[in-house]
Amino acid sequence: MKWIIDDIFNALAQLKRWQTWLVLGLISVFVGLAYLISSFAFRTDALLVYLHRTAGACRELTNGLIISMFCGMIFFLFAALLTLGEFQQYFEFKQRNAHHQAQKSLFWGIGWGAGTLGIAASALVFFKQYCR
């Protein structure tokens, strides 16, 4: 029973570290962007438009656009996971004083994060122009 209390104290100790808050912030940003994109995407759903469940006035998407958006969603998810993984590696390498590997992980983490934000921004711009 003591191990449960120790785990709770270890979890509370993690909340005092800035790395934890950085990762939680990144996750929050990615979830927020996914929510914004999905709210636009639901406006274009043919079944929801037919049932009059959406208030958006969006044009109907063609098959090519639907496939592109689906692939973009998959790339967004993978890029977000790679970003979190690279930052996790960065923190581990920094803890072990492996400065060269930490610098490479930070570089790739920032690159994947920028790619993730680019995918999300392009999807938001696309939907903003596609819907009235």
Side-chain angles (χ1 to χ4, degrees), residues 23-44:
V23 170
L24 288 175
L26 280 172
I27 291 171
S28 299
V29 166
F30 294 151
V31 167
L33 288 171
Y35 173 76
L36 287 173
I37 293 169
S38 65
S39 67
F40 273 115
F42 285 136
R43 292 183 195 172
T44 64

Side-chain angles (χ1 to χ4, degrees), residues 109-124:
I110 291 171
W112 283 113
T116 305
L117 293 177
I119 292 169
S122 63
L124 286 173

